[in-house]
Every structure is written in C-alpha cells, then in structure tokens.
Amino acid sequence: MPAINDIESVKDQYKDDSNLSIRAKLHAKYSTNKQGFVPWLFEKYEFSKGYRILELGCGNGLQWENRIEQLPEGCILILSDLSEGMVKIVWEKYSNHKNFLAQQIDIQNIPFPDNCFDVVIANHMLYHVPDMQKAFSEVKRVLKIGGKFYSSSNGNGGMRTFLHDAFKQVNPESNAFTKEFSFSLQNGKEMLSRYFGNVERYDFVDSFSITETKDLIDWMKSTITMASYSEDDIYGLYDYFEDIRKREGAINIPKETGLFISTKL
C-alpha cells in the first residue's frame, strides 16, 4: 500500500484537484461546525501591511477565494505546491491579482533567501513530507525573526480511528487507517518546538454527520490509504455504513483537526 509520504504516490494523488475536491465537498456538506475550517483559520492568521506570505502545499487554492483582495495594503502572496498541476490551477484562478504569484516548490528545498517571509503557511500537508527535518529547517530559514509559521494537521484519533474500526468489521485482516500521521496534533508541538521558540496549538471542534453513504465511500476512494483495497472491501463498507445510516439517521464521525502557530524568535 502506498505510504502517505511516498513522494510519487503524493504526486499522483495531487496531479490535479479531483481528489482534493471530493474531500473538500464532504467537509462542506456534512461538517457539524458550520463556521467551517477555512474561516476559522483566517481568524487565526495575522497579516499586516507589506507582509510577504508564502503558502506551501496550497492545493487548488480554494481557501483564498475572495480573500486575496482583502489582504492588507502592500502584501505579496505566493501560493506554491509540489504538483505542477495544482500550480497551474491556482495561476488560472488568481493571476488577475497583482499581489499574487504561483510557483512549484518543494518544502524541503525552498528557493528563496534567508529571512524573507513574514508568514509561511502549510495546511494539512506536512504528513506527506519525506524529510520533516529539512522541511522545518527550510521554513525557519526563510522566515524573518518574529515571523509566524501556520501549520494545520489532523490528529491520530477521530476519523482515522473510526474508519479503521469500520474496516475491521468488514475485513478482520485489514490494516487500513492504522498508520499514524508522521505530523499530527499529538506530536506536532514537540516537533515544531525543536525549530521555533514559541509554539501554540489550537483545536477546531468539529465532526461529520453524513446522510448519503456514497459520499463517504467516494471520499475514502479518493485517499492514498485506499489505493490497494479490493472492490469487495468497498462493497462491504458501503453496506456497513448504510446500515448505520438507516439505523441512526446519519453516519456520525468524530474529527480531530487543528492548527499550530509557531514563531521564529
């Protein structure tokens, strides 16, 4: 089964935004916290006039829709991704903004000078990175003194544990959703504290209440974790979840997600 931080598997997963869009739609449609994760993130971000902002692993850049124009005067936003396809998508979306640039970048080798960014963002992508030490060292290098690194991630409980237990009901030999995230809510603060002087964790309280079983199955099929599982497993999961939906009215799944804010001192 492909590893979540296997670089070729990640590139294949994110060669375009089809898988990402499936996942985003599930969150938008069935999340119980109606504020939404992205609006919550933007409440945590601090942007000031003239800031240079770099996002790494920006995906399709959906979170920046109707927000680039709201950045303070003089800000420059660089959206970057390892995937050339994603970079093309965000360029097509936002190239009309004069304060915007798009670039293909590997977080393990950021092609900018030392101390040049006020803010660096990496949302739900660090667990895909093969060499976390290189990634954190590079982020710290390009941040100015006093600059902030915003990095969101999932926890090792929540949906992952729920789906693992579901798989076990369908196939007792399954090891799906067993591997913990290499960067998670549980270990993120400790890892970041080796590079940044001040690290704070903020949790986003949320869950799913899913009323259409197919949407959950589509979400699962869009993930790297599901790449090598059989059609029999998928059919079995559909029946398992559909029984829950009929019995309880919805498939209720906990989430563990949040944000670390790290400051370079």
Side-chain angles (χ1 to χ4, degrees):
M1 182 173 65
I4 196 170
N5 61 351
D6 178 88
I7 202 68
E8 293 306 318
S9 297
V10 172
K11 283 182 177 179
D12 184 62
Q13 273 277 305
Y14 297 105
K15 61 188 176 185
D16 58 39
D17 68 343
S18 55
N19 288 319
L20 198 60
S21 294
I22 289 170
R23 294 169 213 165
K25 286 176 183 176
L26 192 80
H27 287 273
K29 190 173 180 180
Y30 296 116
S31 293
T32 58
N33 187 331
K34 296 307 178 186
Q35 180 187 16
F37 185 66
V38 171
W40 179 80
L41 279 179
F42 274 83
E43 286 185 353
K44 301 297 183 188
Y45 295 156
E46 294 180 7
F47 302 134
S48 294
K49 287 184 178 180
Y51 267 21
R52 294 173 61 89
I53 304 159
L54 171 66
E55 180 168 7
L56 299 155
C58 68
N60 60 12
L62 182 66
Q63 66 272 23
W64 288 97
E65 286 186 5
N66 302 314
R67 290 188 172 95
I68 295 179
E69 55 268 38
Q70 296 177 19
L71 287 170
E73 180 183 352
C75 284
I76 295 175
L77 172 67
I78 299 174
L79 296 184
S80 71
D81 202 278
L82 184 63
S83 163
E84 183 180 358
M86 291 297 190
V87 173
K88 183 179 179 181
I89 287 169
V90 296
W91 177 252
E92 289 172 351
K93 279 186 178 181
Y94 302 128
S95 59
N96 59 314
H97 295 277
K98 293 182 179 179
N99 59 337
F100 162 78
L101 295 169
Q103 188 167 339
Q104 187 176 8
I105 295 176
D106 180 349
I107 190 174
Q108 300 166 117
N109 185 24
I110 302 173
F112 289 103
D114 297 356
N115 308 307
C116 65
F117 289 102
D118 301 279
V119 167
V120 176
I121 298 168
N123 285 326
H124 284 81
M125 59 79 75
L126 287 168
Y127 41 69
H128 290 310
V129 177
D131 192 329
M132 213 81 72
Q133 290 185 347
K134 279 186 179 179
F136 291 143
S137 295
E138 280 290 272
V139 170
K140 181 179 179 181
R141 180 184 65 78
V142 300
L143 267 178
K144 297 177 182 178
I145 300 296
K148 294 190 185 304
F149 178 40
Y150 297 93
S151 53
S152 65
S153 190
N154 297 316
N156 281 315
M159 191 175 193
R160 188 192 65 85
T161 301
F162 179 91
L163 294 176
H164 169 69
D165 292 343
F167 250 108
K168 282 292 189 183
Q169 296 297 317
V170 172
N171 178 359
E173 302 301 316
S174 172
N175 63 353
F177 296 98
T178 54
K179 188 172 182 180
E180 294 188 346
F181 292 110
S182 57
F183 179 84
S184 68
L185 291 182
Q186 283 76 22
N187 66 12
K189 186 169 184 176
E190 179 183 354
M191 295 176 72
L192 289 161
S193 294
R194 299 170 192 162
Y195 299 85
F196 300 93
N198 184 55
V199 182
E200 298 292 337
R201 168 180 161 178
Y202 299 88
D203 288 8
F204 181 69
V205 179
D206 198 7
S207 63
F208 284 117
S209 184
I210 299 171
T211 54
E212 293 183 36
T213 302
K214 183 179 182 298
D215 290 341
L216 175 57
I217 296 298
D218 287 345
W219 180 93
M220 294 178 69
K221 289 167 71 174
S222 76
T223 67
I224 291 175
T225 303
M226 292 295 292
S228 64
Y229 287 96
S230 70
E231 286 298 311
D232 286 344
D233 286 334
I234 300 297
Y235 291 138
L237 283 168
Y238 183 92
D239 291 340
Y240 173 78
F241 289 130
E242 184 67 2
D243 285 344
I244 294 175
R245 186 196 65 78
K246 289 177 179 177
R247 184 173 64 250
E248 300 181 10
I251 306 161
N252 296 301
I253 306 176
K255 292 187 192 181
E256 279 189 2
T257 190
L259 173 71
F260 295 100
I261 303 178
S262 309
T263 304
K264 179 178 175 178
L265 301 180

